Amino acid sequence: MKMLQKFFSLTIVLCSLSFMSLHLGESDACARAKPLKTETADAVEIKGTFTVIFYGGAYADDLETVAILDNEGDQYTFEPFAPDFDYVIKKGLSAGEALKATEKFVTFHPSFWRTQLIKIIDPEGNIIGFELKPLYVPFIYGTSDVLDIYYWLKKGGKIKVTIRLNPSLEKLKFHPGGDGGSGGGN
């Protein structure tokens, strides 16, 4: 019995160390590189055809919701750093269709206030895509912008997208079936 307990303890420690080294390795890689520049945009800047990534929106109180408009026909491809089930991709949308679909997607939350449109800029200063995210009523979460979103240029024109809830709000995160904390009503 003691041998079995030692085996499980050792297995747990090794798994934890493996996870930490993978996680730290990813953080270190991002720490050396700078994310792509982003700036506030205006809807008239959205021109062309887009692949749209609809991230989140999985349940009624899903704060981690954003839409990314990837310009089709350029050398870049946006890839969320998340499991495939966290997002849906639609290709070939005109600027008008993309904007209409993303507006509808990000405005469902009961604490929604307004949207924020951001342009994503490559190292040469070209607009390579847009981000449309919801801003929430500020007094609900203490801030209107609850997401930290970064774009990292990788080999082969891939743009790694990291999306996470602002760390100060992690404790408020509510998932269906969870304890709810103070972030959602049960």
Side-chain angles (χ1 to χ4, degrees), residues 13-25:
V13 168
L14 290 174
C15 288
S16 297
L17 289 173
S18 295
F19 175 77
M20 286 174 22
S21 68
L22 285 173
H23 183 68
L24 290 174

Side-chain angles (χ1 to χ4, degrees), residues 153-164:
L153 180 58
K154 300 295 181 184
K155 291 180 184 174
K158 307 271 188 217
I159 306 292
K160 175 181 158 184
V161 184
T162 58
I163 303 165
R164 65 176 282 199

Side-chain angles (χ1 to χ4, degrees), residues 26 31 39-40 51 67-68 71 73-74 79 111 143 149 158 186:
E26 187 65 39
E39 296 176 358
T40 303
T51 294
I68 299 164
N71 285 341
D74 65 10
E79 296 181 340
S111 298
T143 181
I149 304 172
K158 307 271 188 217
N186 287 351

Side-chain angles (χ1 to χ4, degrees), residues 45 71 74 119-122 125-130:
E45 296 178 88
N71 285 341
D74 65 10
K119 55 187 165 189
I120 305 154
I121 303 166
D122 74 3
N126 302 307
I127 299 171
I128 60 171
F130 296 88

Side-chain angles (χ1 to χ4, degrees), residues 12 17 22 41 64 66 73 115 172:
I12 290 169
L17 289 173
L22 285 173
E64 293 178 74
V66 64
T115 59
L172 299 178

Side-chain angles (χ1 to χ4, degrees), residues 106-124:
V106 302
T107 60
F108 73 90
H109 194 279
S111 298
F112 171 78
W113 175 37
R114 64 182 181 92
T115 59
Q116 181 178 42
L117 183 63
I118 301 289
K119 55 187 165 189
I120 305 154
I121 303 166
D122 74 3
E124 288 76 43

